[in-house]
């Protein structure tokens, strides 16, 4: 089980280019199934979740090459509509394959994606939308056997602005007969990137990024080239790294608009942040004010994927901060580990009360999920002494060599197997 050794105390200085977004490239990779052609994707991050998706695409017949950050996916010939169970279990995002596979082949057999570290992660909204679009779904023995009866555009009202359900409905509606209107759709920027990619293929979609998306069904799609949007959560995580460690860093290839809620919180905490086009400059003196209230919300609210990292910053702020996680049921597994490092945090249901302390101390801690693991690394940057972060596999799902990124900025972070 690989782990990270973090020797705390160094300031961070220097420049870092942010890679393509995990949560944009995963649904786009699923969408490559739809055009039965060759797709070239630029700025793809090297992540274990991306590797898992590539394995699935190859298992159903796609040809995939991945060199540096350029990926070539040829979906001309598909050999199966059954998604390998072990790969689905490994990565919940394989659920994005339902829409494209049903649009392309008219059927799919896929095992129920397990819950994961941050909650049960139901897919009821996905299934309800697919059924409304004319898909018959049999749920038995832990599998979903789906078949298109008559793929017709319709009106879909999502009970909750689910990112995945919005994307799955969008994907299958691209090739439905007639027009589909998705109301209360999620507004995340990754959905806009997916719309841009699909429209390049010949789809007719508008409204992504708003709470209403309209898709006009088409018959034919073609292979395309696309540059994946920058990862706003990696950018936010690196901003917190610069803030918590102190120093001056510059992040390149950032869509500043995508992380406004994170920027305003870090400014409120006391750091200087200068926006220069697609770059962000952060200066930190390691003195932070507590932020009284932070609530995670669907985009454009404060992102749930930044909650854990922001909590690490608040553990050494002056005063008490209250964080409320409204999106996932169980996204505080990093709290016990931060307490082992000397943090003072009390959790009651979805509310965490963080009382700032002078300094954290290095400890042997364990990553329980992707963003909670990143939060422990950030805490290690400022803690006195050495922190060992175990279960690195969680972090590698969403960060392309987090140790290399931080070392480039002057941190003492080393990977140990
Ligand atoms: C996407 O997950 C992201 N993953 C998550 O990022 C992100 O945290 C989440 O959106 C919210 O922004 C990818 O894009 C690959 P949801 P998704 O459907 O689509 C409930 C990370 O760290 N729900 O918006 O699974 C669900 O249980 C990951 O990069 C239902 O009840 O999120 C949750 O409480 C973590 N029924 C809430 O909605 C459904 O059918 C939000 O889930 C679907 C979701």
């Amino acid at each position: 089980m690989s782990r990270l050794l973090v020797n705390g105390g160094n300031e961070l200085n220097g420049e870092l280019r942010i890679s393509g977004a995990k949560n944009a490239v995963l649904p786009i990779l699923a969408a490559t199934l739809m055009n039965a052609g060759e797709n070239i994707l630029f700025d793809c991050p090297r992540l274990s979740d991306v590797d898992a998706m590539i394995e699935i695409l190859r298992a159903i017949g796609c040809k995939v090459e991945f060199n540096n950050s350029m990926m070539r996916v040829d979906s001309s010939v598909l050999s199966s509509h059954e998604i390998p169970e072990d790969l689905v279990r490994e990565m919940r995002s394989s659920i994005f394959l339902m829409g494209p596979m049903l649009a392309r082949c008219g059927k799919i057999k896929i095992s129920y994606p397990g819950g994961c570290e941050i909650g049960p992660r139901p897919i009821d909204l996905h299934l309800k939308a697919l059924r409304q679009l004319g898909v018959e779904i049999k749920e038995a023995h832990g599998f979903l056997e789906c078949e298109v009866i008559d793929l017709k555009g319709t009106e879909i009202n999502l009970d909750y602005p689910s990112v995945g359900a919005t994307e799955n409905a969008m994907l299958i509606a691209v090739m439905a007969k007639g027009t589909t209107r998705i109301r209360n759709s999620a507004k995340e920027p990754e959905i806009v990137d997916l719309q841009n990619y699909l429209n390049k293929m010949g789809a007719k979609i508008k409204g992504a990024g708003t709470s209403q998306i309209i898709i006009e069904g088409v018959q034919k799609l073609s292979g395309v080239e696309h540059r994946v949007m920058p990862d706003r959560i990696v950018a936010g995580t690196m901003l917190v790294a610069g803030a918590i460690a102190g120093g001056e860093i510059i992040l390149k290839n950032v869509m500043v608009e995508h992380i406004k809620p994170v920027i305003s919180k870090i400014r409120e905490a006391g750091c200087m942040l200068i926006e220069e086009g697609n770059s962000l400059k952060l200066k930190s003196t390691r003195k932070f004010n507590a932020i009284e209230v932070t609530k995670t919300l669907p985009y454009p609210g404060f992102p749930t994927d930044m909650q854990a990292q922001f909590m690490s910053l608040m553990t050494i702020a002056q005063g008490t901060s209250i964080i409320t996680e409204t999106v996932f049921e169980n996204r505080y597994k990093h709290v016990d580990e931060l307490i082992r490092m000397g943090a003072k945090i009390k959790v009651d249901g979805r509310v965490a009360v963080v009382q700032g302390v002078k300094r954290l101390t290095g400890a042997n801690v364990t990553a329980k999920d992707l963003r909670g693991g990143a939060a422990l690394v950030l805490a290690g940057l400022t803690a006195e002494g050495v922190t060992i972060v175990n279960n690195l596999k969680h972090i590698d799902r969403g960060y392309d060599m987090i140790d290399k990124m931080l070392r480039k900025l002057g941190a003492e972070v080393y990977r140990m197997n």
Side-chain angles (χ1 to χ4, degrees), residues 67-368:
N67 302 307
N68 299 324
S69 62
M70 192 192 88
M71 199 171 323
R72 182 180 159 277
V73 183
D74 182 343
S75 62
S76 315
V77 179
L78 296 187
S79 55
S80 166
H81 69 277
E82 297 200 11
I83 311 299
E85 183 178 0
D86 56 321
L87 297 177
V88 174
R89 285 194 171 288
E90 196 182 315
M91 184 189 60
R92 169 189 161 76
S93 305
S94 37
I95 193 80
F96 290 136
L97 290 156
M98 291 181 79
M101 186 62 105
L102 287 163
R104 167 82 184 265
C105 309
K107 54 186 176 181
I108 183 172
K109 181 177 179 187
I110 185 169
S111 78
Y112 229 90
C116 74
E117 308 76 19
I118 55 180
R121 307 290 290 279
I123 57 169
D124 55 311
L125 301 176
H126 295 247
L127 304 185
K128 186 176 168 189
L130 294 177
R131 286 186 167 112
Q132 283 179 274
L133 281 155
V135 178
E136 185 183 77
I137 301 174
K138 288 196 203 96
E139 302 173 55
H141 313 296
F143 279 92
L144 295 162
E145 292 205 60
C146 314
E147 188 153 5
V148 168
I149 304 300
D150 179 16
L151 198 47
K152 260 180 31 207
T154 184
E155 181 138 314
I156 293 168
N157 289 286
L158 291 176
D159 298 337
Y160 179 88
S162 152
V163 172
T166 301
E167 290 170 336
N168 240 333
M170 240 169 104
L171 285 159
I172 189 171
V174 162
M175 300 188 87
K177 287 191 283 301
T179 303
T180 298
R181 193 183 290 269
I182 306 172
R183 283 206 167 89
N184 194 29
S185 47
K187 299 184 258 190
E188 272 68 8
E190 292 76 17
I191 297 172
V192 178
D193 209 33
L194 179 62
Q195 170 182 278
N196 295 342
Y197 174 69
L198 290 168
N199 283 344
K200 277 186 196 170
M201 283 163 64
K204 290 195 179 118
I205 309 173
K206 55 181 193 282
T210 74
S211 54
Q212 184 166 214
I213 299 176
I214 299 171
I215 304 111
E216 262 182 72
V218 295
Q219 294 310 311
K220 185 90 183 79
L221 296 168
S222 56
V224 291
E225 296 193 357
H226 182 74
R227 180 172 294 279
V228 177
M229 65 171 256
D231 195 312
R232 60 192 169 101
I233 304 302
V234 171
T237 305
M238 291 301 124
L239 283 180
V240 174
I244 208 168
E248 184 174 322
I249 63 168
I250 297 176
L251 300 183
K252 299 270 189 192
N253 192 38
V254 178
M255 297 290 277
V256 173
E257 190 52 37
H258 292 168
I259 48 172
K260 284 283 184 189
V262 178
I263 290 171
S264 64
K265 289 281 179 194
I266 293 179
R267 274 191 181 130
E268 213 183 310
C271 295
M272 195 181 84
L273 258 167
I274 303 163
E275 304 169 17
E276 291 160 347
N278 278 2
S279 296
L280 261 178
K281 181 190 279 186
L282 173 132
K283 279 186 186 167
S284 165
T285 59
R286 275 199 279 213
K287 294 257 173 298
F288 312 110
N289 326 307
I291 307 283
E292 222 176 311
V293 177
T294 301
K295 199 180 250 196
T296 67
L297 288 166
Y299 193 89
F302 188 86
T304 174
D305 294 347
M306 280 299 302
Q307 177 259 107
Q309 300 91 309
F310 187 69
M311 184 184 285
S312 288
L313 185 64
M314 289 297 103
T315 61
I316 53 168
Q318 281 157 2
T320 300
S321 310
I322 298 175
I323 297 172
T324 306
E325 171 54 63
T326 73
V327 177
F328 287 106
E329 291 86 3
N330 187 13
R331 205 167 195 178
Y332 283 136
K333 290 191 170 167
H334 46 285
V335 168
D336 286 348
E337 304 303 302
L338 287 171
I339 290 170
R340 286 170 61 80
M341 298 176 72
K344 283 198 172 26
I345 308 169
K346 287 227 175 330
V347 171
D348 179 5
R350 290 184 178 239
V351 178
V353 180
V354 184
Q355 196 187 330
V357 295
K358 205 156 169 23
R359 189 151 193 214
L360 298 176
T361 53
N364 195 335
V365 292
T366 302
K368 307 285 176 59

